Amino acid sequence: MSRRLIRILVILSVLSMIGILAVQAVWVRKAYALRDRQFRQSAFIALQEVADEVARMNRITQTKYDVTQLSADYFIVNTEAPIDPVTLEHLIQVSMRKHHLITDFEYGIYNCESDKMVYGAYIGTSAARMPVRSTLPKFDRFTYYFGIRFPQQAIFAVGQLEGWLWSTGAVVLLVLVFGYTLSIVLQQRRLTEVQQDFINNITHELQTPVSTIRIAADVLGQDSIRQQPDRWRQYTRILNEESQRLQRQINNVLQLSRSQHTGFSLNLATVDLHEVLSTVATSNRAKPVGELIHLDLQATNAHIQADRYHLENVINNLIDNALKYQKTDSNAPVPEVWLRTRTVGNGLEWSVQDNGIGIAPEHHKAIFKQFFRVPTGKVHDTKGFGLGLYYVQQVVRAHGWKITLKSTLGEGSTFIIKVP
């Protein structure tokens, strides 16, 4: 399946999920508006019945509509005559239960003599009676009336949407499961691509030393080579270097394979970091580029608890990485690498710095990922599997250290390891 088709499917899938959630949200909103309107209509009818009952008790003739809604949750009911608070409260509760309006309410009776809302109470769903929690507004059109507010109206309306809420939850769960499945598919696709790139890289990298070794072996097998000692030594050196290179590449893969299954088995011991850095620098000076490695060892105490074997591998990996990614233009400076140490507080900090091509900021977080290599298009001018820095990070983490990268494109890179 092509990347373009996968990208189209992902976009369509995301749009579909957004569309489903949007439609569900619209329907829930409409259902809530309908339940809210039904509540107000039921409350209007219930309060009208209370007004009719009060009129019958006072033997007066009421107008057709005695209920006025001032806000979404506040109603005014005209009674045309004074009313006993206890009787009114009983009538309201009976009418509310009749119309299945089981929710909290607070009411107050207007006193025309004091021009205030009095005799108020807050009635909960458990029939608990408490003082009015808020000031109920007055209404100038009536002389005798009471006001009633439903503070839990929104909660009551939401409670009527139980079926809708369950269906919405099911839709959201379905979307989440689908999204998770999609992410797994994309991750597997990415891993497949990474593995394919790794296979291509390892095929290319192993073919080169194997071909060189085969050619050198063929030359050394000729009888005439014995009469040419300089040429014999040259091909012997090539054979030795390429076999060591092949061995390092195989060891890198095997080390990471073992670490993924069993983790790093560290043989910790007290190690003099200065001595290790000096030894690695000396061994690299035997190579053509060895004289470009400088030591700047300033730490007052360089003794640390570490696995010497893995520590040397980390240093060599960082040096090899620094020398691989150097500037190649005609005006480029001579490649150089600095190994530094310094004391920071109660800890130790050591670093490997180069003056190479640097790493763009967008690749800083990914540089330590397994198989990751900074994109260079289709040009395969830098060898490697994308395992070196991943191995470095795994060793650093296994020791309980911390590694950071400081790099600017075109100005080199510095890998800093902090040892507590």
Side-chain angles (χ1 to χ4, degrees), residues 248-322:
R248 286 197 303 269
Q249 292 171 342
I250 294 174
N251 285 341
N252 285 338
V253 177
L254 293 178
Q255 284 173 355
L256 289 173
S257 178
R258 286 195 298 265
S259 68
Q260 287 181 336
H261 289 86
T262 62
F264 282 101
S265 178
L266 300 179
N267 295 318
L268 297 178
T270 301
V271 176
D272 186 349
L273 180 60
H274 286 176
E275 186 268 328
V276 174
L277 291 172
S278 300
T279 301
V280 173
T282 301
S283 64
N284 278 275
R285 288 193 180 103
K287 302 176 182 179
V289 295
E291 68 276 12
L292 302 176
I293 300 177
H294 310 289
L295 292 174
D296 180 19
L297 311 178
Q298 300 181 14
T300 56
N301 182 9
H303 290 84
I304 59 175
Q305 291 293 313
D307 185 308
R308 185 184 182 98
Y309 171 75
H310 286 297
L311 178 59
E312 289 181 351
N313 284 339
V314 166
I315 299 171
N316 279 310
N317 269 322
L318 292 176
I319 293 176
D320 290 343
N321 193 72

Side-chain angles (χ1 to χ4, degrees), residues 21-39:
L21 292 176
V23 170
Q24 189 69 18
V26 170
W27 279 109
V28 170
R29 184 177 179 181
K30 288 184 177 181
Y32 174 80
L34 177 62
R35 293 294 186 272
D36 186 63
R37 184 165 60 252
Q38 290 176 346
F39 175 86

Side-chain angles (χ1 to χ4, degrees), residues 83-277:
I83 185 171
D84 177 58
V86 177
T87 303
L88 175 62
E89 186 174 311
H90 173 72
L91 293 176
I92 293 175
Q93 289 180 320
V94 171
S95 184
M96 293 276 288
R97 284 195 295 269
K98 176 182 176 182
H99 292 277
H100 307 289
L101 299 177
I102 312 301
T103 183
D104 295 1
F105 67 89
E106 54 183 350
Y107 75 95
I109 302 174
Y110 176 71
N111 187 321
C112 58
E113 295 181 359
S114 62
D115 192 29
K116 294 181 179 179
M117 299 291 287
V118 296
Y119 308 118
Y122 185 100
I123 310 299
T125 52
S126 60
R129 194 172 186 277
M130 296 171 287
V132 176
R133 296 183 177 183
S134 59
T135 302
L136 301 178
K138 297 184 297 181
F139 191 61
D140 297 334
R141 288 177 51 187
F142 301 143
T143 303
Y144 298 100
Y145 63 89
F146 68 89
I148 183 170
R149 173 176 305 204
F150 301 96
Q152 303 293 327
Q153 176 185 346
I155 298 177
F156 179 82
V158 170
Q160 302 299 308
L161 299 176
E162 183 175 358
W164 281 97
L165 295 178
W166 279 108
S167 64
T168 300
V171 170
V172 171
L173 179 61
L174 179 63
V175 169
L176 292 176
V177 171
F178 179 77
Y180 177 74
T181 304
L182 182 61
S183 68
I184 293 296
V185 171
L186 294 177
Q187 184 178 9
Q188 291 299 321
R189 170 69 179 183
R190 185 185 65 81
L191 290 176
T192 301
E193 292 178 350
V194 168
Q195 290 174 353
Q196 186 61 45
D197 291 340
F198 173 71
I199 292 173
N200 293 337
N201 282 334
I202 197 172
T203 301
H204 182 277
E205 296 296 336
L206 294 181
Q207 280 179 346
T208 301
V210 168
S211 299
T212 305
I213 291 172
R214 185 173 63 249
I215 293 172
D218 290 342
V219 173
L220 291 174
Q222 299 174 1
D223 293 336
S224 59
I225 194 68
R226 300 177 183 178
Q227 308 301 324
Q228 306 174 45
D230 291 339
R231 190 181 177 202
W232 181 83
R233 282 191 294 270
Q234 178 184 1
Y235 277 95
T236 302
R237 179 181 58 81
I238 293 175
L239 188 63
N240 183 56
E241 290 178 354
E242 291 301 319
S243 62
Q244 289 181 357
R245 174 184 170 191
L246 182 60
Q247 185 63 49
R248 286 197 303 269
Q249 292 171 342
I250 294 174
N251 285 341
N252 285 338
V253 177
L254 293 178
Q255 284 173 355
L256 289 173
S257 178
R258 286 195 298 265
S259 68
Q260 287 181 336
H261 289 86
T262 62
F264 282 101
S265 178
L266 300 179
N267 295 318
L268 297 178
T270 301
V271 176
D272 186 349
L273 180 60
H274 286 176
E275 186 268 328
V276 174
L277 291 172

Side-chain angles (χ1 to χ4, degrees), residues 359 363-365 367-368 403-407 413-416:
I359 302 172
H363 301 310
H364 284 194
K365 291 184 178 180
I367 198 69
F368 295 105
I403 184 170
T404 56
L405 167 64
K406 291 184 179 180
S407 181
S413 304
T414 303
F415 290 89
I416 303 172

Side-chain angles (χ1 to χ4, degrees), residues 299-304 342-349 401 418-420:
T300 56
N301 182 9
H303 290 84
I304 59 175
R342 64 191 183 106
T343 302
V344 180
N346 295 326
L348 174 68
E349 181 178 288
W401 304 340
K418 296 181 179 180
V419 182

